[in-house]
């Protein structure tokens, strides 16, 4: 039964990749494709790669037991709850400051559930690893600095509250009094902040950019931490503080970085720097933040794949560049041929 499940996941992965290739060819040759087909190519490719990595992990690791499978489901549910509460903090802050929210999204991948409530589209996707609240950016920028900071930090605040609640309940279950439990949790929280930033400050480049941190091994890490879901309140607290601390990192695309950008924007406005220059600078900083956040995962997967096919990373990238260039040239050739065969109507 286990290997049948792995086979089904593998076939689904292969099917998605093949569908993405066929759709990409249709887009390249310009035949019978729709405007959103490029987005579908990207989505199918990512889903196919993820399912392929999952199948590879399941095949190369000891079979998951029923207990481990249940723990993984509990972990996914708890992570959904934590990320949803984080985004709910941003959503409630936006509502409090009369900033409209068009989209409330949790997770990535295929859509599980969506509905509309109070002019906001709520969407929940398969993999609960991130989320976002899409607000009216113009009204958001018009908020006073203190309100902008509250809006950006609201999700982190909710996660910290959840950490205190979860850990306090956990220690009460272990026989501690409410007061003693709260004191223990407070002391743990105070010690966590410097420990986390010390860990971030001492990270080496080789700890981040390495083929050992490819998607397959990342899936293995998530599965290995499923044991924290044995005790719901403990798992809820640990995941809450992990999400809070991660979002405190001052990368522009994360909440901590957005607070810093808001403060810098106010300072630049005070010294008379035109708003258009501030907006352009912040746009580039957001792009830089996205690169910092996502490029390690991309490089690690490309590096791991190059090792699997027996190439160095530069060789693999070179061949990918050659293939991509060939596809682009084919597209240009077909477009030119189609244009030359079109006769003007007099």
């Amino acid at each position: 039964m286990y290997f049948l499940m792995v086979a089904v996941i593998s076939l689904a992965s292969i099917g998605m990749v093949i569908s993405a290739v066929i759709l990409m060819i249709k887009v390249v040759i310009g035949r019978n494709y729709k405007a959103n087909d490029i987005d579908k190519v990207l989505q199918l490719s990512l889903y196919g790669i993820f399912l392929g990595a999952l199948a590879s992990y399941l095949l190369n690791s000891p079979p998951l037991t029923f207990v481990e499978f249940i723990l993984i489901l509990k972990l996914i549910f708890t992570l959904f709850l934590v990320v949803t509460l984080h985004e709910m903090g941003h959503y409630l802050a936006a509502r409090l400051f009369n900033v409209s929210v068009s989209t409330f999204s949790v997770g990535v991948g295929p859509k599980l559930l969506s509905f509309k409530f109070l002019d906001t589209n709520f969407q929940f996707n398969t993999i609960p690893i991130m989320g976002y609240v899409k607000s009216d950016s113009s009204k958001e920028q018009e908020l006073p600095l203190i309100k902008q900071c509250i809006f950006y930090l609201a999700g982190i605040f909710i996660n910290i509250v959840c950490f205190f609640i979860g850990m306090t309940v956990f220690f009460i279950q272990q026989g501690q009094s409410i007061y003693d439990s709260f004191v223990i949790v407070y002391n743990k929280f105070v010690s966590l902040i410097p420990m986390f930033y010390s860990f971030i400050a001492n990270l080496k480049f080789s700890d981040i950019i390495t083929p050992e941190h490819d998607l397959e091994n990342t899936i293995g890490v998530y599965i290995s931490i499923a044991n924290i879901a044995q005790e719901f309140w403990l798992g809820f607290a640990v995941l809450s503080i992990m999400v809070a601390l991660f979002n405190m990192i001052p990368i522009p695309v994360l909440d901590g970085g957005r607070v810093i950008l808001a403060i810098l924007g106010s300072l630049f406005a005070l010294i008379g720097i035109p708003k258009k220059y501030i907006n352009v600078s912040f746009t580039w900083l957001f792009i830089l933040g996205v690169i910092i956040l996502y490029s390690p995962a991309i490089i690690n997967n490309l590096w791991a794949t190059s090792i699997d096919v027996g190439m160095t990373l530069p060789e693999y990238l070179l061949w990918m560049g050659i293939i991509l260039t060939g596809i682009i040239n084919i597209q240009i050739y077909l477009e030119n041929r189609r244009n030359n065969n079109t006769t003007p109507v007099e």
Side-chain angles (χ1 to χ4, degrees), residues 64 90 123-125 137 208 214 218 279 282 289 292 336:
L64 294 176
H90 295 305
Q123 182 172 309
F124 297 87
N125 303 308
S137 58
I208 302 172
D214 66 338
T218 302
N279 291 338
F282 286 2
I292 291 172
N336 290 337

Side-chain angles (χ1 to χ4, degrees), residues 40-62:
K40 287 183 179 178
V41 168
L42 181 60
Q43 290 176 5
L44 286 170
S45 301
L46 292 175
Y47 300 161
I49 291 170
F50 174 79
L51 289 177
L54 176 60
S56 179
Y57 172 81
L58 294 175
L59 193 61
N60 296 325
S61 303

Side-chain angles (χ1 to χ4, degrees), residues 40-222:
K40 287 183 179 178
V41 168
L42 181 60
Q43 290 176 5
L44 286 170
S45 301
L46 292 175
Y47 300 161
I49 291 170
F50 174 79
L51 289 177
L54 176 60
S56 179
Y57 172 81
L58 294 175
L59 193 61
N60 296 325
S61 303
L64 294 176
T65 64
F66 179 75
V67 173
E68 289 173 325
F69 180 73
I70 296 299
L71 284 177
I72 292 169
L73 292 181
K74 287 178 67 176
L75 177 68
I76 292 173
F77 168 77
T78 307
L79 194 52
F80 257 119
L81 180 61
V82 169
V83 176
T84 300
L85 289 171
H86 177 93
E87 300 306 331
M88 187 58 67
H90 295 305
Y91 174 79
L92 293 176
R95 284 294 191 186
L96 178 65
F97 300 140
N98 294 317
V99 176
S100 60
V101 176
S102 59
T103 306
F104 179 105
S105 180
V106 173
V108 297
K111 189 185 300 182
L112 288 177
L113 172 69
S114 65
F115 59 90
K116 193 166 185 177
F117 178 71
L118 295 177
D119 297 324
T120 301
N121 292 313
F122 288 81
Q123 182 172 309
F124 297 87
N125 303 308
T126 310
I127 309 170
I129 57 174
M130 63 179 65
Y132 65 90
V133 168
K134 187 176 182 181
S135 61
D136 186 332
S137 58
S138 59
K139 288 187 177 180
E140 179 186 319
Q141 296 302 320
E142 291 172 0
L143 291 174
L145 176 60
I146 185 64
K147 290 187 176 181
Q148 283 189 45
C149 291
I150 291 172
F151 173 64
Y152 297 143
L153 294 174
I156 294 174
F157 175 75
I158 292 293
N159 287 141
I160 291 174
V161 170
C162 290
F163 167 75
F164 272 87
I165 293 173
M167 289 298 290
T168 300
V169 172
F170 173 74
F171 282 117
I172 290 173
Q173 290 176 337
Q174 304 304 309
Q176 300 285 344
S177 67
I178 296 177
Y179 177 77
D180 289 341
S181 297
F182 183 83
V183 171
I184 294 171
V185 176
Y186 174 78
N187 291 330
K188 287 185 177 294
F189 175 75
V190 171
S191 64
L192 268 175
I193 304 298
M195 285 174 57
F196 177 76
Y197 281 102
S198 175
F199 169 76
I200 295 296
N202 291 305
L203 269 179
K204 299 176 182 177
F205 184 78
S206 58
D207 294 330
I208 302 172
I209 307 296
T210 170
E212 283 75 28
H213 291 168
D214 66 338
L215 184 58
E216 181 179 338
N217 285 301
T218 302
I219 291 172
V221 170
Y222 277 104

Side-chain angles (χ1 to χ4, degrees), residues 2 9 51 62 89 102 216 230-231 239 254 261 285 289 301-302 316:
Y2 180 83
I9 295 174
L51 289 177
S102 59
E216 181 179 338
Q230 287 181 334
E231 295 285 347
L239 291 175
L254 299 177
L261 290 182
L285 285 173
N301 281 284
L302 290 173
Y316 184 69

